[in-house]
Amino acid sequence: MSREELITNTIEKLRQLSDSKIQEVSDYVSFLAGKIDDKIISEGIKTLTSTSKSYEFLHSEEELYQVSDIKEKYQ
């Protein structure tokens, strides 16, 4: 079923619902849209931080600790 057919079928079904049920569907669609927005924002932040040069100084920093410095190892 194509996207347009799904939308048309959904609209037809919505017309049969009571006002309170239509409000529930609207709230759920808003929730789903919010999740998509959150994912887009998270991906954008991830991209910005991975391409940022803000933490580049950490790559050239000398290691402060060695494995031999560990007193107790957890298995």
Side-chain angles (χ1 to χ4, degrees), residues 41-58:
I41 290 169
S42 294
E43 291 296 322
I45 290 171
K46 202 182 305 180
T47 301
L48 281 174
T49 56
S50 67
T51 59
S52 172
K53 299 198 186 296
S54 297
Y55 297 103
E56 199 168 275
F57 70 94
L58 293 173

Side-chain angles (χ1 to χ4, degrees), residues 1 3-4 6 9-10 13-14 26-27 33 35 37 40-41 43-44 50 57-58 62 67:
M1 191 175 273
R3 184 180 203 289
E4 291 303 317
L6 282 171
N9 287 342
T10 303
K13 291 174 185 174
L14 282 171
S26 177
D27 292 344
K35 284 180 63 171
D37 289 344
I40 291 170
I41 290 169
E43 291 296 322
S50 67
F57 70 94
L58 293 173
E62 185 180 325
V67 173

Side-chain angles (χ1 to χ4, degrees), residues 19-37:
D19 290 346
S20 65
K21 293 296 180 187
I22 291 173
Q23 184 62 53
E24 285 183 41
V25 172
S26 177
D27 292 344
Y28 184 65
V29 171
S30 296
F31 167 74
L32 291 177
K35 284 180 63 171
I36 293 169
D37 289 344

